[in-house]
Short mmCIF file of all heavy atoms in Angstrom, two decimals:
data_model
loop_
_atom_site.label_atom_id
_atom_site.label_comp_id
_atom_site.label_asym_id
_atom_site.label_seq_id
_atom_site.Cartn_x
_atom_site.Cartn_y
_atom_site.Cartn_z
N MET A 1 65.76 25.66 -0.89
CA MET A 1 64.98 24.63 -0.14
C MET A 1 63.99 23.96 -1.13
O MET A 1 63.30 24.62 -1.84
CB MET A 1 64.23 25.27 0.99
CG MET A 1 63.52 24.26 1.91
SD MET A 1 62.59 25.06 3.20
CE MET A 1 61.26 25.84 2.29
N THR A 2 64.05 22.68 -1.13
CA THR A 2 63.10 21.93 -1.92
C THR A 2 61.91 21.65 -1.10
O THR A 2 61.94 21.14 -0.04
CB THR A 2 63.72 20.57 -2.38
OG1 THR A 2 64.96 20.82 -3.00
CG2 THR A 2 62.82 19.90 -3.40
N VAL A 3 60.70 22.04 -1.67
CA VAL A 3 59.47 21.79 -0.97
C VAL A 3 58.81 20.58 -1.61
O VAL A 3 58.69 20.53 -2.84
CB VAL A 3 58.56 23.03 -1.04
CG1 VAL A 3 57.17 22.70 -0.37
CG2 VAL A 3 59.21 24.20 -0.38
N ARG A 4 58.50 19.61 -0.74
CA ARG A 4 57.80 18.45 -1.27
C ARG A 4 56.39 18.79 -1.66
O ARG A 4 55.85 19.82 -1.24
CB ARG A 4 57.73 17.35 -0.14
CG ARG A 4 59.10 16.96 0.36
CD ARG A 4 59.06 16.43 1.77
NE ARG A 4 58.16 15.27 1.91
CZ ARG A 4 57.81 14.75 3.07
NH1 ARG A 4 58.19 15.30 4.17
NH2 ARG A 4 56.99 13.73 3.13
N ASP A 5 55.84 17.96 -2.51
CA ASP A 5 54.38 18.16 -2.77
C ASP A 5 53.62 17.99 -1.51
O ASP A 5 53.85 17.05 -0.77
CB ASP A 5 53.96 17.14 -3.81
CG ASP A 5 54.46 17.48 -5.20
OD1 ASP A 5 54.76 18.69 -5.48
OD2 ASP A 5 54.54 16.57 -6.00
N LEU A 6 52.70 18.88 -1.33
CA LEU A 6 51.89 18.82 -0.09
C LEU A 6 50.83 17.76 -0.20
O LEU A 6 50.33 17.46 -1.28
CB LEU A 6 51.21 20.18 0.17
CG LEU A 6 52.23 21.28 0.53
CD1 LEU A 6 51.52 22.62 0.41
CD2 LEU A 6 52.86 21.04 1.86
N PRO A 7 50.45 17.13 0.95
CA PRO A 7 49.33 16.20 0.91
C PRO A 7 48.05 16.93 0.51
O PRO A 7 48.02 18.17 0.70
CB PRO A 7 49.22 15.65 2.31
CG PRO A 7 50.04 16.55 3.15
CD PRO A 7 51.05 17.36 2.28
N PRO A 8 47.09 16.23 0.01
CA PRO A 8 45.81 16.92 -0.33
C PRO A 8 45.21 17.59 0.88
O PRO A 8 45.20 16.98 1.97
CB PRO A 8 44.89 15.80 -0.87
CG PRO A 8 45.74 14.59 -1.01
CD PRO A 8 47.02 14.82 -0.25
N VAL A 9 44.74 18.84 0.73
CA VAL A 9 44.26 19.59 1.85
C VAL A 9 43.11 18.84 2.54
O VAL A 9 42.90 18.97 3.73
CB VAL A 9 43.89 21.01 1.37
CG1 VAL A 9 42.70 20.99 0.48
CG2 VAL A 9 43.67 21.91 2.57
N SER A 10 42.33 18.07 1.74
CA SER A 10 41.18 17.35 2.33
C SER A 10 41.64 16.25 3.33
O SER A 10 40.82 15.80 4.09
CB SER A 10 40.36 16.79 1.17
OG SER A 10 41.13 15.94 0.39
N ASP A 11 42.88 15.86 3.21
CA ASP A 11 43.43 14.83 4.16
C ASP A 11 43.91 15.40 5.43
O ASP A 11 44.30 14.61 6.34
CB ASP A 11 44.52 14.03 3.52
CG ASP A 11 44.06 13.09 2.40
OD1 ASP A 11 42.83 12.96 2.23
OD2 ASP A 11 44.87 12.44 1.75
N LEU A 12 44.00 16.73 5.55
CA LEU A 12 44.59 17.33 6.73
C LEU A 12 43.60 17.75 7.73
O LEU A 12 42.48 17.98 7.45
CB LEU A 12 45.45 18.54 6.24
CG LEU A 12 46.53 18.26 5.22
CD1 LEU A 12 47.13 19.57 4.76
CD2 LEU A 12 47.55 17.31 5.77
N THR A 13 44.09 17.82 9.00
CA THR A 13 43.25 18.33 10.07
C THR A 13 43.10 19.84 9.95
O THR A 13 43.85 20.52 9.25
CB THR A 13 43.85 18.03 11.43
OG1 THR A 13 45.13 18.76 11.55
CG2 THR A 13 44.19 16.52 11.56
N GLU A 14 42.13 20.38 10.69
CA GLU A 14 41.97 21.86 10.66
C GLU A 14 43.25 22.53 11.18
O GLU A 14 43.69 23.54 10.68
CB GLU A 14 40.80 22.26 11.53
CG GLU A 14 40.53 23.72 11.46
CD GLU A 14 39.39 24.14 12.42
OE1 GLU A 14 38.75 23.26 13.06
OE2 GLU A 14 39.21 25.35 12.53
N GLN A 15 43.89 21.92 12.21
CA GLN A 15 45.10 22.46 12.72
C GLN A 15 46.18 22.56 11.71
O GLN A 15 46.96 23.51 11.61
CB GLN A 15 45.57 21.66 13.93
CG GLN A 15 44.83 21.86 15.22
CD GLN A 15 43.51 21.11 15.27
OE1 GLN A 15 43.17 20.40 14.38
NE2 GLN A 15 42.71 21.31 16.34
N GLN A 16 46.30 21.49 10.91
CA GLN A 16 47.30 21.50 9.82
C GLN A 16 46.98 22.57 8.76
O GLN A 16 47.83 23.20 8.26
CB GLN A 16 47.44 20.14 9.24
CG GLN A 16 48.14 19.16 10.17
CD GLN A 16 48.06 17.75 9.61
OE1 GLN A 16 47.03 17.23 9.26
NE2 GLN A 16 49.23 17.00 9.65
N GLN A 17 45.69 22.62 8.39
CA GLN A 17 45.34 23.62 7.37
C GLN A 17 45.59 25.04 7.81
O GLN A 17 45.84 25.90 7.00
CB GLN A 17 43.86 23.44 6.99
CG GLN A 17 43.56 22.12 6.29
CD GLN A 17 42.11 21.96 5.93
OE1 GLN A 17 41.41 22.97 5.67
NE2 GLN A 17 41.63 20.76 5.83
N ARG A 18 45.48 25.28 9.15
CA ARG A 18 45.70 26.66 9.67
C ARG A 18 47.11 26.93 9.99
O ARG A 18 47.41 28.08 10.46
CB ARG A 18 44.80 26.86 10.83
CG ARG A 18 43.33 26.92 10.48
CD ARG A 18 42.48 26.98 11.78
NE ARG A 18 41.05 26.95 11.41
CZ ARG A 18 40.35 28.06 11.18
NH1 ARG A 18 40.90 29.25 11.23
NH2 ARG A 18 39.06 28.00 10.90
N GLY A 19 48.02 25.94 9.86
CA GLY A 19 49.36 26.16 10.16
C GLY A 19 49.74 26.06 11.60
O GLY A 19 50.84 26.52 11.98
N TRP A 20 48.89 25.47 12.37
CA TRP A 20 49.14 25.34 13.83
C TRP A 20 49.94 24.05 14.04
O TRP A 20 50.66 23.95 15.03
CB TRP A 20 47.85 25.25 14.61
CG TRP A 20 47.04 26.53 14.51
CD1 TRP A 20 47.49 27.77 14.24
CD2 TRP A 20 45.63 26.66 14.76
NE1 TRP A 20 46.45 28.67 14.26
CE2 TRP A 20 45.32 27.99 14.58
CE3 TRP A 20 44.67 25.72 15.10
CZ2 TRP A 20 43.98 28.42 14.72
CZ3 TRP A 20 43.31 26.19 15.26
CH2 TRP A 20 43.03 27.55 15.04
N SER A 21 49.73 23.09 13.17
CA SER A 21 50.46 21.83 13.29
C SER A 21 51.21 21.56 11.96
O SER A 21 50.77 21.99 10.93
CB SER A 21 49.46 20.62 13.52
OG SER A 21 48.77 20.85 14.73
N CYS A 22 52.30 20.79 12.10
CA CYS A 22 53.04 20.42 10.94
C CYS A 22 52.25 19.69 9.90
O CYS A 22 51.49 18.76 10.24
CB CYS A 22 54.25 19.60 11.37
SG CYS A 22 55.24 18.96 10.01
N VAL A 23 52.37 20.10 8.62
CA VAL A 23 51.57 19.51 7.57
C VAL A 23 51.99 18.07 7.30
O VAL A 23 51.18 17.30 6.80
CB VAL A 23 51.69 20.40 6.30
CG1 VAL A 23 53.04 20.23 5.65
CG2 VAL A 23 50.56 20.12 5.32
N TRP A 24 53.25 17.72 7.71
CA TRP A 24 53.75 16.35 7.47
C TRP A 24 53.46 15.43 8.68
O TRP A 24 52.89 14.35 8.47
CB TRP A 24 55.21 16.35 7.22
CG TRP A 24 55.59 17.19 6.06
CD1 TRP A 24 56.40 18.29 6.05
CD2 TRP A 24 55.10 17.05 4.68
NE1 TRP A 24 56.48 18.84 4.77
CE2 TRP A 24 55.71 18.13 3.93
CE3 TRP A 24 54.26 16.16 4.07
CZ2 TRP A 24 55.49 18.25 2.57
CZ3 TRP A 24 54.01 16.31 2.72
CH2 TRP A 24 54.60 17.34 1.97
N CYS A 25 53.92 15.81 9.85
CA CYS A 25 53.88 14.88 10.97
C CYS A 25 52.77 15.17 11.97
O CYS A 25 52.51 14.40 12.85
CB CYS A 25 55.24 14.78 11.64
SG CYS A 25 55.69 16.28 12.48
N GLY A 26 52.18 16.39 11.83
CA GLY A 26 51.03 16.71 12.72
C GLY A 26 51.40 17.25 14.12
O GLY A 26 50.57 17.51 14.86
N THR A 27 52.75 17.40 14.31
CA THR A 27 53.17 17.99 15.58
C THR A 27 52.80 19.44 15.73
O THR A 27 52.87 20.17 14.73
CB THR A 27 54.72 17.85 15.71
OG1 THR A 27 55.03 16.47 15.67
CG2 THR A 27 55.23 18.56 16.94
N ALA A 28 52.30 19.84 16.90
CA ALA A 28 51.99 21.29 17.13
C ALA A 28 53.31 22.09 16.97
O ALA A 28 54.29 21.73 17.48
CB ALA A 28 51.44 21.42 18.53
N LEU A 29 53.23 23.21 16.30
CA LEU A 29 54.37 24.02 15.99
C LEU A 29 54.50 25.18 16.90
O LEU A 29 53.56 25.74 17.43
CB LEU A 29 54.25 24.53 14.53
CG LEU A 29 54.25 23.42 13.47
CD1 LEU A 29 53.85 24.02 12.07
CD2 LEU A 29 55.58 22.75 13.35
N THR A 30 55.75 25.62 17.09
CA THR A 30 56.11 26.78 17.87
C THR A 30 56.62 27.79 16.91
O THR A 30 57.47 27.49 16.03
CB THR A 30 57.21 26.43 18.87
OG1 THR A 30 56.75 25.31 19.66
CG2 THR A 30 57.51 27.58 19.82
N VAL A 31 56.14 29.03 17.08
CA VAL A 31 56.64 30.10 16.22
C VAL A 31 58.16 30.21 16.32
O VAL A 31 58.72 30.25 17.43
CB VAL A 31 55.95 31.44 16.57
CG1 VAL A 31 56.59 32.57 15.75
CG2 VAL A 31 54.50 31.34 16.24
N GLY A 32 58.85 30.30 15.20
CA GLY A 32 60.32 30.40 15.24
C GLY A 32 60.98 29.02 15.02
O GLY A 32 62.16 28.94 14.72
N GLU A 33 60.21 27.93 15.32
CA GLU A 33 60.79 26.62 15.12
C GLU A 33 60.00 25.91 14.02
O GLU A 33 59.89 24.66 14.03
CB GLU A 33 60.64 25.80 16.40
CG GLU A 33 61.61 26.36 17.49
CD GLU A 33 61.41 25.64 18.86
OE1 GLU A 33 60.75 24.61 18.84
OE2 GLU A 33 61.90 26.19 19.83
N ASP A 34 59.50 26.61 13.10
CA ASP A 34 58.76 26.02 11.97
C ASP A 34 59.20 26.72 10.70
O ASP A 34 59.83 27.76 10.71
CB ASP A 34 57.26 26.15 12.22
CG ASP A 34 56.82 27.55 12.38
OD1 ASP A 34 57.70 28.46 12.46
OD2 ASP A 34 55.62 27.84 12.45
N GLN A 35 58.74 26.16 9.60
CA GLN A 35 58.97 26.82 8.32
C GLN A 35 57.70 27.09 7.58
O GLN A 35 56.80 26.27 7.58
CB GLN A 35 59.92 26.02 7.40
CG GLN A 35 59.69 24.56 7.32
CD GLN A 35 60.60 23.89 6.30
OE1 GLN A 35 60.56 24.24 5.15
NE2 GLN A 35 61.34 22.88 6.75
N ASP A 36 57.57 28.34 7.09
CA ASP A 36 56.39 28.74 6.37
C ASP A 36 56.47 28.26 4.97
O ASP A 36 57.42 28.51 4.21
CB ASP A 36 56.34 30.25 6.42
CG ASP A 36 55.02 30.81 5.91
OD1 ASP A 36 54.24 30.08 5.31
OD2 ASP A 36 54.81 32.06 6.10
N LEU A 37 55.51 27.48 4.55
CA LEU A 37 55.53 26.89 3.18
C LEU A 37 54.76 27.81 2.20
O LEU A 37 54.65 27.49 1.06
CB LEU A 37 54.87 25.48 3.17
CG LEU A 37 55.60 24.45 4.06
CD1 LEU A 37 54.90 23.12 4.00
CD2 LEU A 37 57.07 24.38 3.71
N GLY A 38 54.32 28.92 2.70
CA GLY A 38 53.67 29.88 1.84
C GLY A 38 52.18 29.65 1.61
O GLY A 38 51.67 28.57 1.92
N GLU A 39 51.48 30.70 1.11
CA GLU A 39 50.10 30.54 0.94
C GLU A 39 49.79 29.61 -0.21
O GLU A 39 50.44 29.61 -1.23
CB GLU A 39 49.51 31.93 0.58
CG GLU A 39 48.04 31.89 0.31
CD GLU A 39 47.45 33.31 0.00
OE1 GLU A 39 48.18 34.26 0.14
OE2 GLU A 39 46.31 33.38 -0.42
N LYS A 40 48.81 28.71 0.03
CA LYS A 40 48.40 27.76 -1.00
C LYS A 40 46.90 28.01 -1.30
O LYS A 40 46.17 28.43 -0.43
CB LYS A 40 48.61 26.34 -0.58
CG LYS A 40 49.99 26.01 -0.14
CD LYS A 40 50.94 26.05 -1.34
CE LYS A 40 52.40 25.77 -0.86
NZ LYS A 40 53.31 26.02 -1.97
N ARG A 41 46.54 27.66 -2.54
CA ARG A 41 45.15 27.82 -2.87
C ARG A 41 44.58 26.41 -3.03
O ARG A 41 45.20 25.52 -3.59
CB ARG A 41 45.00 28.53 -4.24
CG ARG A 41 45.53 29.99 -4.17
CD ARG A 41 44.60 30.89 -3.41
NE ARG A 41 43.37 31.18 -4.10
CZ ARG A 41 42.35 31.82 -3.50
NH1 ARG A 41 42.41 32.21 -2.32
NH2 ARG A 41 41.22 32.06 -4.17
N ALA A 42 43.41 26.25 -2.47
CA ALA A 42 42.69 24.94 -2.59
C ALA A 42 41.36 25.20 -3.29
O ALA A 42 40.74 26.29 -3.11
CB ALA A 42 42.45 24.35 -1.22
N ARG A 43 40.96 24.29 -4.10
CA ARG A 43 39.68 24.46 -4.85
C ARG A 43 38.93 23.12 -4.62
O ARG A 43 39.07 22.19 -5.40
CB ARG A 43 39.96 24.73 -6.30
CG ARG A 43 38.68 25.17 -7.01
CD ARG A 43 38.92 25.34 -8.51
NE ARG A 43 39.96 26.42 -8.73
CZ ARG A 43 39.58 27.73 -8.81
NH1 ARG A 43 38.36 28.05 -8.78
NH2 ARG A 43 40.55 28.63 -9.00
N PRO A 44 38.12 23.05 -3.57
CA PRO A 44 37.39 21.83 -3.38
C PRO A 44 36.35 21.60 -4.49
O PRO A 44 35.89 22.58 -5.10
CB PRO A 44 36.66 22.02 -2.05
CG PRO A 44 36.82 23.48 -1.73
CD PRO A 44 37.81 24.09 -2.65
N GLU A 45 36.11 20.33 -4.74
CA GLU A 45 35.14 19.97 -5.74
C GLU A 45 33.77 20.59 -5.43
O GLU A 45 33.29 20.33 -4.29
CB GLU A 45 34.98 18.46 -5.83
CG GLU A 45 35.28 17.91 -7.22
CD GLU A 45 35.19 16.42 -7.27
OE1 GLU A 45 36.22 15.76 -6.82
OE2 GLU A 45 34.18 15.83 -7.65
N GLY A 46 33.26 21.36 -6.33
CA GLY A 46 31.92 21.90 -6.10
C GLY A 46 31.88 23.02 -5.08
O GLY A 46 30.77 23.47 -4.65
N GLY A 47 33.07 23.49 -4.63
CA GLY A 47 33.08 24.57 -3.62
C GLY A 47 33.88 25.75 -4.08
O GLY A 47 34.42 25.74 -5.22
N ALA A 48 33.98 26.71 -3.25
CA ALA A 48 34.69 27.95 -3.56
C ALA A 48 36.17 27.80 -3.27
O ALA A 48 36.46 27.15 -2.22
CB ALA A 48 34.11 29.13 -2.84
N ALA A 49 37.02 28.39 -4.02
CA ALA A 49 38.46 28.26 -3.76
C ALA A 49 38.81 29.09 -2.50
O ALA A 49 38.13 30.09 -2.23
CB ALA A 49 39.24 28.78 -4.94
N TYR A 50 39.75 28.66 -1.80
CA TYR A 50 40.19 29.38 -0.56
C TYR A 50 41.71 29.23 -0.37
O TYR A 50 42.32 28.40 -1.00
CB TYR A 50 39.43 28.90 0.70
CG TYR A 50 39.68 27.42 1.00
CD1 TYR A 50 40.58 27.05 1.90
CD2 TYR A 50 38.92 26.44 0.37
CE1 TYR A 50 40.81 25.72 2.21
CE2 TYR A 50 39.12 25.13 0.61
CZ TYR A 50 40.06 24.76 1.60
OH TYR A 50 40.31 23.45 1.89
N SER A 51 42.23 30.03 0.49
CA SER A 51 43.69 29.99 0.80
C SER A 51 43.91 29.23 2.06
O SER A 51 43.06 29.28 2.96
CB SER A 51 44.22 31.45 0.98
OG SER A 51 44.06 32.19 -0.19
N TRP A 52 45.04 28.51 2.12
CA TRP A 52 45.40 27.93 3.37
C TRP A 52 46.90 28.12 3.52
O TRP A 52 47.58 28.47 2.53
CB TRP A 52 44.95 26.47 3.43
CG TRP A 52 45.50 25.51 2.50
CD1 TRP A 52 45.32 25.51 1.15
CD2 TRP A 52 46.44 24.41 2.75
NE1 TRP A 52 45.98 24.46 0.53
CE2 TRP A 52 46.63 23.77 1.55
CE3 TRP A 52 46.92 23.88 3.93
CZ2 TRP A 52 47.50 22.68 1.45
CZ3 TRP A 52 47.76 22.73 3.82
CH2 TRP A 52 47.99 22.15 2.62
N PHE A 53 47.41 27.93 4.76
CA PHE A 53 48.81 28.39 5.02
C PHE A 53 49.55 27.26 5.72
O PHE A 53 49.68 27.23 6.94
CB PHE A 53 48.69 29.66 5.91
CG PHE A 53 47.94 30.75 5.24
CD1 PHE A 53 46.62 30.85 5.43
CD2 PHE A 53 48.63 31.65 4.45
CE1 PHE A 53 45.90 31.95 4.79
CE2 PHE A 53 47.94 32.71 3.83
CZ PHE A 53 46.61 32.80 3.97
N PRO A 54 50.03 26.30 4.90
CA PRO A 54 50.75 25.17 5.47
C PRO A 54 52.06 25.61 6.16
O PRO A 54 52.76 26.51 5.68
CB PRO A 54 51.08 24.26 4.30
CG PRO A 54 51.01 25.22 3.13
CD PRO A 54 50.01 26.31 3.45
N ARG A 55 52.39 24.97 7.30
CA ARG A 55 53.67 25.19 7.93
C ARG A 55 54.20 23.82 8.32
O ARG A 55 53.45 22.82 8.36
CB ARG A 55 53.46 26.01 9.22
CG ARG A 55 52.85 27.40 8.97
CD ARG A 55 52.82 28.24 10.17
NE ARG A 55 54.13 28.80 10.55
CZ ARG A 55 54.62 29.95 10.08
NH1 ARG A 55 53.92 30.57 9.22
NH2 ARG A 55 55.80 30.31 10.40
N ALA A 56 55.49 23.73 8.45
CA ALA A 56 56.10 22.44 8.72
C ALA A 56 57.26 22.63 9.74
O ALA A 56 57.73 23.74 9.98
CB ALA A 56 56.67 21.83 7.47
N CYS A 57 57.70 21.60 10.37
CA CYS A 57 58.80 21.60 11.31
C CYS A 57 60.08 22.12 10.58
O CYS A 57 60.32 21.78 9.43
CB CYS A 57 59.12 20.16 11.79
SG CYS A 57 57.67 19.33 12.51
N SER A 58 60.88 22.90 11.31
CA SER A 58 62.11 23.35 10.72
C SER A 58 63.17 22.21 10.72
O SER A 58 64.03 22.19 9.84
CB SER A 58 62.67 24.59 11.42
OG SER A 58 62.76 24.30 12.79
N ASP A 59 62.99 21.30 11.64
CA ASP A 59 63.91 20.13 11.71
C ASP A 59 63.24 19.02 10.84
O ASP A 59 62.49 18.20 11.28
CB ASP A 59 64.02 19.63 13.15
CG ASP A 59 65.06 18.56 13.23
OD1 ASP A 59 65.46 17.91 12.19
OD2 ASP A 59 65.57 18.30 14.40
N THR A 60 63.67 19.04 9.54
CA THR A 60 62.99 18.15 8.61
C THR A 60 63.31 16.68 8.86
O THR A 60 62.53 15.83 8.62
CB THR A 60 63.32 18.49 7.14
OG1 THR A 60 64.75 18.59 7.03
CG2 THR A 60 62.72 19.85 6.79
N ALA A 61 64.51 16.42 9.38
CA ALA A 61 64.88 15.04 9.68
C ALA A 61 64.07 14.45 10.80
O ALA A 61 63.57 13.31 10.66
CB ALA A 61 66.41 14.97 10.06
N ALA A 62 63.90 15.25 11.86
CA ALA A 62 63.06 14.80 12.98
C ALA A 62 61.61 14.65 12.56
O ALA A 62 60.89 13.77 12.92
CB ALA A 62 63.22 15.73 14.16
N CYS A 63 61.21 15.56 11.68
CA CYS A 63 59.85 15.56 11.18
C CYS A 63 59.57 14.26 10.40
O CYS A 63 58.55 13.58 10.59
CB CYS A 63 59.64 16.77 10.31
SG CYS A 63 58.01 16.86 9.59
N ALA A 64 60.50 13.91 9.54
CA ALA A 64 60.39 12.68 8.65
C ALA A 64 60.30 11.44 9.60
O ALA A 64 59.52 10.53 9.32
CB ALA A 64 61.54 12.63 7.71
N ARG A 65 61.11 11.42 10.67
CA ARG A 65 61.05 10.25 11.56
C ARG A 65 59.74 10.16 12.22
O ARG A 65 59.15 9.09 12.38
CB ARG A 65 62.15 10.39 12.61
CG ARG A 65 63.54 9.97 12.15
CD ARG A 65 64.51 9.74 13.29
NE ARG A 65 64.67 10.91 14.15
CZ ARG A 65 65.59 11.87 13.89
NH1 ARG A 65 66.38 11.78 12.84
NH2 ARG A 65 65.73 12.91 14.70
N ARG A 66 59.19 11.36 12.69
CA ARG A 66 57.87 11.35 13.32
C ARG A 66 56.81 10.91 12.33
O ARG A 66 55.91 10.10 12.63
CB ARG A 66 57.55 12.75 13.79
CG ARG A 66 58.14 13.06 15.16
CD ARG A 66 57.50 14.26 15.76
NE ARG A 66 57.83 15.48 15.04
CZ ARG A 66 58.92 16.23 15.26
NH1 ARG A 66 59.77 15.93 16.25
NH2 ARG A 66 59.13 17.32 14.55
N GLU A 67 56.97 11.38 11.11
CA GLU A 67 55.99 10.98 10.05
C GLU A 67 55.98 9.53 9.83
O GLU A 67 54.92 8.88 9.63
CB GLU A 67 56.29 11.73 8.77
CG GLU A 67 55.22 11.72 7.76
CD GLU A 67 55.60 12.37 6.42
OE1 GLU A 67 56.74 12.92 6.34
OE2 GLU A 67 54.80 12.39 5.49
N GLN A 68 57.17 8.87 9.75
CA GLN A 68 57.25 7.47 9.48
C GLN A 68 56.74 6.64 10.67
O GLN A 68 56.25 5.57 10.46
CB GLN A 68 58.72 7.13 9.21
CG GLN A 68 59.39 8.03 8.25
CD GLN A 68 59.95 7.31 7.00
OE1 GLN A 68 60.56 6.24 7.17
NE2 GLN A 68 59.71 7.83 5.85
N GLY A 69 56.93 7.16 11.87
CA GLY A 69 56.50 6.44 13.03
C GLY A 69 55.08 6.52 13.33
O GLY A 69 54.52 5.87 14.18
N GLN A 70 54.36 7.34 12.51
CA GLN A 70 52.95 7.60 12.79
C GLN A 70 52.10 6.55 12.13
O GLN A 70 52.31 6.31 10.94
CB GLN A 70 52.64 8.97 12.19
CG GLN A 70 51.50 9.64 12.83
CD GLN A 70 51.38 11.07 12.32
OE1 GLN A 70 51.48 11.32 11.09
NE2 GLN A 70 51.16 12.06 13.18
N ALA A 71 51.26 5.90 12.86
CA ALA A 71 50.38 4.90 12.30
C ALA A 71 49.11 5.58 11.84
O ALA A 71 48.39 6.16 12.64
CB ALA A 71 50.08 3.84 13.29
N LEU A 72 48.86 5.64 10.55
CA LEU A 72 47.70 6.35 10.10
C LEU A 72 46.60 5.32 9.67
O LEU A 72 46.87 4.33 9.19
CB LEU A 72 48.06 7.18 8.86
CG LEU A 72 48.91 8.39 9.17
CD1 LEU A 72 49.30 9.10 7.88
CD2 LEU A 72 48.17 9.37 10.04
ZN1 ZN B 1 56.70 17.83 11.14
#
């Protein structure tokens, strides 16, 4: 599986940082219907490093469509 580069953690919602919502499209995730992208380390400028746990939709095609349809 190819993992895309993740968006900067500072651009994500708390739900996305905690793995409750898809890191790409922001949809709320259901256990078993998502993919674990593994533990990531973030180091905010001037702050302490911490771990976060991105998750994403298992249906990447549907996820990409949702992401494109999203007006940010
Ligand atoms: Zn998604």
Side-chain angles (χ1 to χ4, degrees):
M1 185 181 72
T2 308
V3 178
R4 298 155 62 190
D5 286 336
L6 294 168
V9 68
S10 56
D11 286 357
L12 300 175
T13 65
E14 184 185 354
Q15 282 81 2
Q16 286 172 314
Q17 291 181 29
R18 291 175 182 270
W20 298 337
S21 298
C22 174
V23 73
W24 302 120
C25 68
T27 296
L29 295 168
T30 306
V31 173
E33 293 176 12
D34 58 352
Q35 44 174 302
D36 190 346
L37 300 180
E39 179 180 351
K40 304 291 176 191
R41 298 288 288 171
R43 192 184 297 274
E45 235 176 282
Y50 61 95
S51 297
W52 64 294
F53 302 89
R55 303 184 75 87
C57 306
S58 54
D59 187 343
T60 52
C63 180
R65 280 197 301 274
R66 277 194 292 272
E67 191 185 1
Q68 311 238 316
Q70 208 173 42
L72 291 175

